[in-house]
Amino acid sequence: ASLVDGASSLLIRLVANVVAEYKEVVKDIETLAPVVNEQFLRLAQLKKKKEELTVKGREMSLAALAELEEWDEADRAAGREPEPLPEAYPAEVSTSDASASVDWASLDVSAFPVSWLGSPSPLAGPGSSDGIPPASQGNSNS
């Protein structure tokens, strides 16, 4: 009988612990639910604003292109040839090819603002992390 009483007592304590943990989890959920809902609403607002800005940007671009077309038509009507657009950079030139052909040691930095000349060294060349500490992972104040 003593063994059964001990097992019953242990079982009762285990159930009490599970119930206490359950109540704590429910309390945490009730505390966090408004925060999660607020963040969800904010995210929905940001998505809507992004879509609005995308549409507005598209409309502004189309309006600008239409205005340029009108100017070109006015130039043609006045007997002038519209100014040609500058040519794009050749597609076959990669940035690695371009930076490999630059003599970084002979770069004259005297024309650069002083604020640009700290770290990294302007003579270190592209891709150098000379003097730059590694990127932090998150906020160190938390």
Side-chain angles (χ1 to χ4, degrees):
S2 154
L3 184 61
V4 172
D5 289 340
S8 295
S9 176
L10 178 62
L11 186 57
I12 290 171
R13 282 194 310 252
L14 287 174
V15 169
N17 286 342
V18 168
V19 168
E21 287 181 31
Y22 173 79
K23 287 180 180 179
E24 196 168 316
V25 167
V26 169
K27 182 180 167 186
D28 288 345
I29 290 172
E30 289 171 349
T31 302
L32 293 174
V35 173
V36 171
N37 286 336
E38 182 180 321
Q39 290 176 345
F40 179 76
L41 290 173
R42 178 71 178 141
L43 181 61
Q45 290 171 344
L46 290 172
K47 285 181 179 180
K48 181 179 178 184
K49 186 67 172 179
K50 178 184 173 187
E51 180 61 29
E52 290 171 358
L53 290 173
T54 300
V55 169
K56 185 175 182 176
R58 188 177 308 123
E59 290 171 353
M60 291 174 68
S61 295
L62 291 173
L65 288 172
E67 188 173 352
L68 288 173
E69 285 294 323
E70 289 175 17
W71 290 351
D72 285 349
E73 284 301 317
D75 282 346
R76 285 187 192 99
R80 296 182 303 258
E81 188 60 33
E83 293 182 28
L85 295 175
E87 291 192 29
Y89 293 106
E92 63 273 358
V93 175
S94 73
T95 56
S96 61
D97 293 340
S99 64
S101 65
V102 174
D103 180 12
W104 293 102
S106 66
L107 180 65
D108 178 14
V109 296
S110 62
F112 295 149
V114 175
S115 62
W116 292 7
L117 300 179
S119 171
S121 166
L123 301 179
S128 170
S129 61
D130 183 32
I132 297 178
S136 67
Q137 298 296 318
N139 185 351
S140 62
N141 295 331
S142 55

Short mmCIF file of all heavy atoms in Angstrom, two decimals, residues 1-16:
data_model
loop_
_atom_site.label_atom_id
_atom_site.label_comp_id
_atom_site.label_asym_id
_atom_site.label_seq_id
_atom_site.Cartn_x
_atom_site.Cartn_y
_atom_site.Cartn_z
N ALA A 1 0.83 -1.19 0.00
CA ALA A 1 0.00 0.00 0.00
C ALA A 1 0.87 1.24 0.00
O ALA A 1 0.51 2.24 -0.60
CB ALA A 1 -0.92 -0.02 1.21
N SER A 2 2.02 1.17 0.66
CA SER A 2 2.93 2.30 0.75
C SER A 2 3.51 2.63 -0.63
O SER A 2 3.71 3.79 -0.97
CB SER A 2 4.03 1.96 1.74
OG SER A 2 5.19 2.65 1.48
N LEU A 3 3.77 1.63 -1.42
CA LEU A 3 4.28 1.82 -2.77
C LEU A 3 3.24 2.51 -3.65
O LEU A 3 3.56 3.42 -4.42
CB LEU A 3 4.70 0.47 -3.37
CG LEU A 3 5.34 0.51 -4.74
CD1 LEU A 3 6.62 1.33 -4.71
CD2 LEU A 3 5.61 -0.88 -5.23
N VAL A 4 2.00 2.13 -3.53
CA VAL A 4 0.91 2.74 -4.30
C VAL A 4 0.72 4.18 -3.86
O VAL A 4 0.52 5.08 -4.69
CB VAL A 4 -0.39 1.92 -4.12
CG1 VAL A 4 -1.57 2.64 -4.77
CG2 VAL A 4 -0.23 0.54 -4.73
N ASP A 5 0.79 4.43 -2.54
CA ASP A 5 0.64 5.80 -2.05
C ASP A 5 1.77 6.69 -2.57
O ASP A 5 1.55 7.84 -2.97
CB ASP A 5 0.63 5.82 -0.52
CG ASP A 5 -0.65 5.22 0.07
OD1 ASP A 5 -1.64 5.14 -0.68
OD2 ASP A 5 -0.62 4.84 1.26
N GLY A 6 3.00 6.17 -2.61
CA GLY A 6 4.15 6.93 -3.12
C GLY A 6 4.00 7.23 -4.61
O GLY A 6 4.29 8.33 -5.06
N ALA A 7 3.54 6.24 -5.36
CA ALA A 7 3.35 6.43 -6.80
C ALA A 7 2.23 7.43 -7.06
O ALA A 7 2.33 8.29 -7.93
CB ALA A 7 3.04 5.11 -7.47
N SER A 8 1.16 7.34 -6.26
CA SER A 8 0.04 8.27 -6.40
C SER A 8 0.50 9.68 -6.08
O SER A 8 0.15 10.64 -6.78
CB SER A 8 -1.11 7.89 -5.48
OG SER A 8 -1.65 6.65 -5.84
N SER A 9 1.29 9.83 -5.03
CA SER A 9 1.79 11.14 -4.63
C SER A 9 2.68 11.72 -5.72
O SER A 9 2.59 12.91 -6.05
CB SER A 9 2.55 11.00 -3.31
OG SER A 9 3.12 12.23 -2.96
N LEU A 10 3.55 10.90 -6.30
CA LEU A 10 4.43 11.33 -7.39
C LEU A 10 3.62 11.74 -8.60
O LEU A 10 3.87 12.77 -9.23
CB LEU A 10 5.41 10.21 -7.74
CG LEU A 10 6.38 10.51 -8.90
CD1 LEU A 10 7.28 11.69 -8.55
CD2 LEU A 10 7.19 9.28 -9.23
N LEU A 11 2.63 10.96 -8.93
CA LEU A 11 1.77 11.25 -10.08
C LEU A 11 1.02 12.56 -9.87
O LEU A 11 0.90 13.37 -10.79
CB LEU A 11 0.79 10.09 -10.31
CG LEU A 11 -0.07 10.18 -11.56
CD1 LEU A 11 0.78 10.30 -12.81
CD2 LEU A 11 -0.98 8.97 -11.67
N ILE A 12 0.53 12.78 -8.66
CA ILE A 12 -0.20 14.02 -8.35
C ILE A 12 0.74 15.22 -8.51
O ILE A 12 0.36 16.25 -9.07
CB ILE A 12 -0.82 13.95 -6.95
CG1 ILE A 12 -1.97 12.95 -6.96
CG2 ILE A 12 -1.30 15.31 -6.49
CD1 ILE A 12 -2.53 12.63 -5.58
N ARG A 13 1.98 15.10 -8.02
CA ARG A 13 2.95 16.20 -8.14
C ARG A 13 3.28 16.46 -9.62
O ARG A 13 3.39 17.61 -10.06
CB ARG A 13 4.22 15.88 -7.36
CG ARG A 13 4.07 16.09 -5.87
CD ARG A 13 5.42 16.10 -5.17
NE ARG A 13 6.25 14.95 -5.55
CZ ARG A 13 6.51 13.92 -4.74
NH1 ARG A 13 6.04 13.89 -3.52
NH2 ARG A 13 7.25 12.92 -5.17
N LEU A 14 3.44 15.41 -10.41
CA LEU A 14 3.73 15.56 -11.84
C LEU A 14 2.58 16.26 -12.56
O LEU A 14 2.79 17.16 -13.38
CB LEU A 14 4.02 14.21 -12.48
CG LEU A 14 5.35 13.56 -12.14
CD1 LEU A 14 5.43 12.16 -12.73
CD2 LEU A 14 6.50 14.41 -12.66
N VAL A 15 1.37 15.86 -12.26
CA VAL A 15 0.20 16.49 -12.88
C VAL A 15 0.12 17.95 -12.46
O VAL A 15 -0.16 18.84 -13.28
CB VAL A 15 -1.09 15.72 -12.52
CG1 VAL A 15 -2.33 16.50 -12.93
CG2 VAL A 15 -1.09 14.35 -13.19
N ALA A 16 0.38 18.23 -11.19
CA ALA A 16 0.36 19.62 -10.70
C ALA A 16 1.41 20.46 -11.43
O ALA A 16 1.15 21.62 -11.80
CB ALA A 16 0.58 19.65 -9.19
#
